[in-house]
Amino acid sequence: AQTVTQSQPEMSVQEAETVTLSCTYDTSENNYYLFWYKQPPSRQMILVIRQEAYKQQNATENRFSVNFQKAAKSFSLKISDSQLGDTAMYFCAFTQGNTGNQFYFGTGTSLTVIP
Amino acid sequence: DTEVTQTPKHLVMGMTNKKSLKCEQHMGHRAMYWYKQKAKKPPELMFVYSYEKLSINESVPSRFSPECPNSSLLNLHLHALQPEDSALYLCASSQAPGRVANYGYTFGSGTRLTVV
């Protein structure tokens, strides 16, 4: 069974500062993918970043980057130069590689960016 | 068109009512999903449709009845709901069944359902 754990229910960060959200997962699969989704008050889940487990290089999307530690089963999200629009619920998610048809979500981290 | 459109955005219904939630996408995606989300909780998978056929039903009570009339449309029919069914209902689609990893989901904005 796959499990995804986010140990920080709530976090806050000053505007323009950097924040890191933690995520750990447990799986016996070798081929899998990890995602971070953002859910602002508008409710829509928005894909932030995606990491393929077989790639050692950490994924980066503009101000968002991940620290993927496969042996430790850790997948943290770093947000640089935080902006007010980054205020949202952030969910870490796991899916199997070749046959995955659903996500396993973590419990979420509520991030508030303070002006 | 890169959106998943859900209607209505808000719905209040009594426990004896029958209502339907609608989800539409025109991206050519062949897998569609219903999720239920309680406040400050992650989404919980309810149903998966692959090529218009129900492929996963996560032991959802029969008062929730999904329907996929065509590849662009997904409905969720509601009947005799309970107050604890009040939640945000999210629809999502992905390009191909079993290929969620490559493309992820596109989510709709959800329907906020309140059962009174």
PDB file of all heavy atoms in Angstrom, chain B residues 31-48:
ATOM      1  N   ALA B  31      -9.981   9.432 -19.362  1.00  0.00           N
ATOM      2  CA  ALA B  31     -10.222   8.990 -17.994  1.00  0.00           C
ATOM      3  C   ALA B  31     -10.795  10.161 -17.209  1.00  0.00           C
ATOM      4  O   ALA B  31     -10.305  11.284 -17.316  1.00  0.00           O
ATOM      5  CB  ALA B  31      -8.927   8.508 -17.335  1.00  0.00           C
ATOM      6  N   MET B  32     -11.851   9.890 -16.452  1.00  0.00           N
ATOM      7  CA  MET B  32     -12.483  10.933 -15.649  1.00  0.00           C
ATOM      8  C   MET B  32     -12.757  10.397 -14.255  1.00  0.00           C
ATOM      9  O   MET B  32     -12.984   9.191 -14.079  1.00  0.00           O
ATOM     10  CB  MET B  32     -13.771  11.430 -16.323  1.00  0.00           C
ATOM     11  CG  MET B  32     -13.506  12.093 -17.680  1.00  0.00           C
ATOM     12  SD  MET B  32     -14.961  12.816 -18.444  1.00  0.00           S
ATOM     13  CE  MET B  32     -15.162  14.323 -17.473  1.00  0.00           C
ATOM     14  N   TYR B  33     -12.756  11.305 -13.284  1.00  0.00           N
ATOM     15  CA  TYR B  33     -12.751  10.918 -11.881  1.00  0.00           C
ATOM     16  C   TYR B  33     -13.707  11.788 -11.078  1.00  0.00           C
ATOM     17  O   TYR B  33     -13.857  12.979 -11.357  1.00  0.00           O
ATOM     18  CB  TYR B  33     -11.348  11.109 -11.290  1.00  0.00           C
ATOM     19  CG  TYR B  33     -10.220  10.527 -12.107  1.00  0.00           C
ATOM     20  CD1 TYR B  33      -9.736  11.196 -13.229  1.00  0.00           C
ATOM     21  CD2 TYR B  33      -9.625   9.317 -11.760  1.00  0.00           C
ATOM     22  CE1 TYR B  33      -8.695  10.675 -13.984  1.00  0.00           C
ATOM     23  CE2 TYR B  33      -8.587   8.794 -12.504  1.00  0.00           C
ATOM     24  CZ  TYR B  33      -8.131   9.469 -13.614  1.00  0.00           C
ATOM     25  OH  TYR B  33      -7.103   8.950 -14.365  1.00  0.00           O
ATOM     26  N   TRP B  34     -14.302  11.196 -10.067  1.00  0.00           N
ATOM     27  CA  TRP B  34     -15.005  11.953  -9.029  1.00  0.00           C
ATOM     28  C   TRP B  34     -14.251  11.788  -7.719  1.00  0.00           C
ATOM     29  O   TRP B  34     -13.926  10.673  -7.309  1.00  0.00           O
ATOM     30  CB  TRP B  34     -16.431  11.462  -8.836  1.00  0.00           C
ATOM     31  CG  TRP B  34     -17.418  11.969  -9.836  1.00  0.00           C
ATOM     32  CD1 TRP B  34     -18.114  11.232 -10.749  1.00  0.00           C
ATOM     33  CD2 TRP B  34     -17.848  13.329 -10.012  1.00  0.00           C
ATOM     34  NE1 TRP B  34     -18.932  12.044 -11.496  1.00  0.00           N
ATOM     35  CE2 TRP B  34     -18.796  13.333 -11.072  1.00  0.00           C
ATOM     36  CE3 TRP B  34     -17.533  14.552  -9.401  1.00  0.00           C
ATOM     37  CZ2 TRP B  34     -19.423  14.490 -11.522  1.00  0.00           C
ATOM     38  CZ3 TRP B  34     -18.151  15.699  -9.851  1.00  0.00           C
ATOM     39  CH2 TRP B  34     -19.089  15.678 -10.895  1.00  0.00           C
ATOM     40  N   TYR B  35     -14.014  12.939  -7.049  1.00  0.00           N
ATOM     41  CA  TYR B  35     -13.420  12.956  -5.731  1.00  0.00           C
ATOM     42  C   TYR B  35     -14.356  13.700  -4.784  1.00  0.00           C
ATOM     43  O   TYR B  35     -15.029  14.649  -5.170  1.00  0.00           O
ATOM     44  CB  TYR B  35     -12.072  13.698  -5.742  1.00  0.00           C
ATOM     45  CG  TYR B  35     -10.894  12.883  -6.182  1.00  0.00           C
ATOM     46  CD1 TYR B  35     -10.582  12.749  -7.537  1.00  0.00           C
ATOM     47  CD2 TYR B  35     -10.062  12.265  -5.260  1.00  0.00           C
ATOM     48  CE1 TYR B  35      -9.485  12.013  -7.944  1.00  0.00           C
ATOM     49  CE2 TYR B  35      -8.956  11.521  -5.652  1.00  0.00           C
ATOM     50  CZ  TYR B  35      -8.675  11.406  -6.989  1.00  0.00           C
ATOM     51  OH  TYR B  35      -7.584  10.674  -7.396  1.00  0.00           O
ATOM     52  N   LYS B  36     -14.310  13.293  -3.518  1.00  0.00           N
ATOM     53  CA  LYS B  36     -15.024  13.997  -2.449  1.00  0.00           C
ATOM     54  C   LYS B  36     -13.973  14.603  -1.529  1.00  0.00           C
ATOM     55  O   LYS B  36     -12.999  13.935  -1.159  1.00  0.00           O
ATOM     56  CB  LYS B  36     -15.885  13.009  -1.665  1.00  0.00           C
ATOM     57  CG  LYS B  36     -16.560  13.575  -0.434  1.00  0.00           C
ATOM     58  CD  LYS B  36     -17.327  12.487   0.309  1.00  0.00           C
ATOM     59  CE  LYS B  36     -17.975  13.006   1.567  1.00  0.00           C
ATOM     60  NZ  LYS B  36     -18.730  11.935   2.276  1.00  0.00           N
ATOM     61  N   GLN B  37     -14.162  15.868  -1.141  1.00  0.00           N
ATOM     62  CA  GLN B  37     -13.184  16.529  -0.284  1.00  0.00           C
ATOM     63  C   GLN B  37     -13.879  17.263   0.850  1.00  0.00           C
ATOM     64  O   GLN B  37     -14.671  18.179   0.623  1.00  0.00           O
ATOM     65  CB  GLN B  37     -12.318  17.513  -1.095  1.00  0.00           C
ATOM     66  CG  GLN B  37     -11.171  18.098  -0.277  1.00  0.00           C
ATOM     67  CD  GLN B  37     -10.315  19.068  -1.070  1.00  0.00           C
ATOM     68  OE1 GLN B  37     -10.764  19.644  -2.050  1.00  0.00           O
ATOM     69  NE2 GLN B  37      -9.073  19.243  -0.647  1.00  0.00           N
ATOM     70  N   LYS B  38     -13.553  16.885   2.065  1.00  0.00           N
ATOM     71  CA  LYS B  38     -14.015  17.597   3.252  1.00  0.00           C
ATOM     72  C   LYS B  38     -13.031  18.727   3.545  1.00  0.00           C
ATOM     73  O   LYS B  38     -11.874  18.720   3.092  1.00  0.00           O
ATOM     74  CB  LYS B  38     -14.076  16.640   4.443  1.00  0.00           C
ATOM     75  CG  LYS B  38     -15.162  15.580   4.319  1.00  0.00           C
ATOM     76  CD  LYS B  38     -16.509  16.161   4.671  1.00  0.00           C
ATOM     77  CE  LYS B  38     -17.484  15.096   5.100  1.00  0.00           C
ATOM     78  NZ  LYS B  38     -18.787  15.677   5.497  1.00  0.00           N
ATOM     79  N   ALA B  39     -13.495  19.697   4.344  1.00  0.00           N
ATOM     80  CA  ALA B  39     -12.688  20.882   4.619  1.00  0.00           C
ATOM     81  C   ALA B  39     -11.337  20.507   5.227  1.00  0.00           C
ATOM     82  O   ALA B  39     -11.262  19.709   6.160  1.00  0.00           O
ATOM     83  CB  ALA B  39     -13.439  21.823   5.545  1.00  0.00           C
ATOM     84  N   LYS B  40     -10.283  21.079   4.681  1.00  0.00           N
ATOM     85  CA  LYS B  40      -8.911  20.916   5.135  1.00  0.00           C
ATOM     86  C   LYS B  40      -8.454  19.453   5.147  1.00  0.00           C
ATOM     87  O   LYS B  40      -7.578  19.073   5.928  1.00  0.00           O
ATOM     88  CB  LYS B  40      -8.727  21.535   6.528  1.00  0.00           C
ATOM     89  CG  LYS B  40      -8.910  23.046   6.529  1.00  0.00           C
ATOM     90  CD  LYS B  40      -8.358  23.675   7.778  1.00  0.00           C
ATOM     91  CE  LYS B  40      -8.492  25.193   7.744  1.00  0.00           C
ATOM     92  NZ  LYS B  40      -7.605  25.806   6.728  1.00  0.00           N
ATOM     93  N   LYS B  41      -9.035  18.664   4.270  1.00  0.00           N
ATOM     94  CA  LYS B  41      -8.660  17.266   4.104  1.00  0.00           C
ATOM     95  C   LYS B  41      -8.278  17.033   2.640  1.00  0.00           C
ATOM     96  O   LYS B  41      -8.655  17.801   1.767  1.00  0.00           O
ATOM     97  CB  LYS B  41      -9.832  16.340   4.466  1.00  0.00           C
ATOM     98  CG  LYS B  41     -10.284  16.440   5.911  1.00  0.00           C
ATOM     99  CD  LYS B  41      -9.264  15.866   6.857  1.00  0.00           C
ATOM    100  CE  LYS B  41      -9.798  15.840   8.271  1.00  0.00           C
ATOM    101  NZ  LYS B  41      -8.750  15.380   9.223  1.00  0.00           N
ATOM    102  N   PRO B  42      -7.524  15.946   2.373  1.00  0.00           N
ATOM    103  CA  PRO B  42      -7.213  15.664   0.971  1.00  0.00           C
ATOM    104  C   PRO B  42      -8.425  15.109   0.244  1.00  0.00           C
ATOM    105  O   PRO B  42      -9.358  14.590   0.880  1.00  0.00           O
ATOM    106  CB  PRO B  42      -6.112  14.600   1.081  1.00  0.00           C
ATOM    107  CG  PRO B  42      -6.343  13.945   2.395  1.00  0.00           C
ATOM    108  CD  PRO B  42      -6.888  15.021   3.304  1.00  0.00           C
ATOM    109  N   PRO B  43      -8.425  15.198  -1.067  1.00  0.00           N
ATOM    110  CA  PRO B  43      -9.512  14.585  -1.837  1.00  0.00           C
ATOM    111  C   PRO B  43      -9.516  13.066  -1.661  1.00  0.00           C
ATOM    112  O   PRO B  43      -8.461  12.436  -1.583  1.00  0.00           O
ATOM    113  CB  PRO B  43      -9.181  14.961  -3.278  1.00  0.00           C
ATOM    114  CG  PRO B  43      -8.246  16.121  -3.184  1.00  0.00           C
ATOM    115  CD  PRO B  43      -7.475  15.914  -1.918  1.00  0.00           C
ATOM    116  N   GLU B  44     -10.717  12.493  -1.621  1.00  0.00           N
ATOM    117  CA  GLU B  44     -10.881  11.043  -1.533  1.00  0.00           C
ATOM    118  C   GLU B  44     -11.508  10.543  -2.830  1.00  0.00           C
ATOM    119  O   GLU B  44     -12.567  11.028  -3.241  1.00  0.00           O
ATOM    120  CB  GLU B  44     -11.800  10.682  -0.363  1.00  0.00           C
ATOM    121  CG  GLU B  44     -11.297  11.093   0.998  1.00  0.00           C
ATOM    122  CD  GLU B  44     -12.339  10.844   2.085  1.00  0.00           C
ATOM    123  OE1 GLU B  44     -13.347  10.166   1.812  1.00  0.00           O
ATOM    124  OE2 GLU B  44     -12.140  11.330   3.204  1.00  0.00           O
ATOM    125  N   LEU B  45     -10.875   9.562  -3.423  1.00  0.00           N
ATOM    126  CA  LEU B  45     -11.379   9.030  -4.686  1.00  0.00           C
ATOM    127  C   LEU B  45     -12.714   8.319  -4.480  1.00  0.00           C
ATOM    128  O   LEU B  45     -12.876   7.527  -3.539  1.00  0.00           O
ATOM    129  CB  LEU B  45     -10.355   8.056  -5.272  1.00  0.00           C
ATOM    130  CG  LEU B  45     -10.693   7.478  -6.640  1.00  0.00           C
ATOM    131  CD1 LEU B  45     -10.711   8.577  -7.708  1.00  0.00           C
ATOM    132  CD2 LEU B  45      -9.701   6.383  -7.015  1.00  0.00           C
ATOM    133  N   MET B  46     -13.651   8.615  -5.382  1.00  0.00           N
ATOM    134  CA  MET B  46     -14.952   7.931  -5.365  1.00  0.00           C
ATOM    135  C   MET B  46     -15.065   6.974  -6.549  1.00  0.00           C
ATOM    136  O   MET B  46     -15.300   5.796  -6.376  1.00  0.00           O
ATOM    137  CB  MET B  46     -16.087   8.947  -5.420  1.00  0.00           C
ATOM    138  CG  MET B  46     -16.110   9.935  -4.289  1.00  0.00           C
ATOM    139  SD  MET B  46     -17.394  11.174  -4.516  1.00  0.00           S
ATOM    140  CE  MET B  46     -18.885  10.234  -4.214  1.00  0.00           C
ATOM    141  N   PHE B  47     -14.929   7.522  -7.758  1.00  0.00           N
ATOM    142  CA  PHE B  47     -15.146   6.722  -8.968  1.00  0.00           C
ATOM    143  C   PHE B  47     -14.107   7.083 -10.022  1.00  0.00           C
ATOM    144  O   PHE B  47     -13.654   8.219 -10.107  1.00  0.00           O
ATOM    145  CB  PHE B  47     -16.531   6.999  -9.570  1.00  0.00           C
ATOM    146  CG  PHE B  47     -17.691   6.741  -8.655  1.00  0.00           C
ATOM    147  CD1 PHE B  47     -18.369   7.791  -8.061  1.00  0.00           C
ATOM    148  CD2 PHE B  47     -18.111   5.443  -8.409  1.00  0.00           C
ATOM    149  CE1 PHE B  47     -19.450   7.563  -7.223  1.00  0.00           C
ATOM    150  CE2 PHE B  47     -19.185   5.193  -7.573  1.00  0.00           C
ATOM    151  CZ  PHE B  47     -19.854   6.262  -6.980  1.00  0.00           C
ATOM    152  N   VAL B  48     -13.774   6.089 -10.854  1.00  0.00           N
ATOM    153  CA  VAL B  48     -12.918   6.300 -12.016  1.00  0.00           C
ATOM    154  C   VAL B  48     -13.605   5.735 -13.242  1.00  0.00           C
ATOM    155  O   VAL B  48     -14.070   4.590 -13.214  1.00  0.00           O
ATOM    156  CB  VAL B  48     -11.544   5.618 -11.858  1.00  0.00           C
ATOM    157  CG1 VAL B  48     -10.694   5.844 -13.103  1.00  0.00           C
ATOM    158  CG2 VAL B  48     -10.823   6.124 -10.626  1.00  0.00           C
TER     159      VAL B  48
END
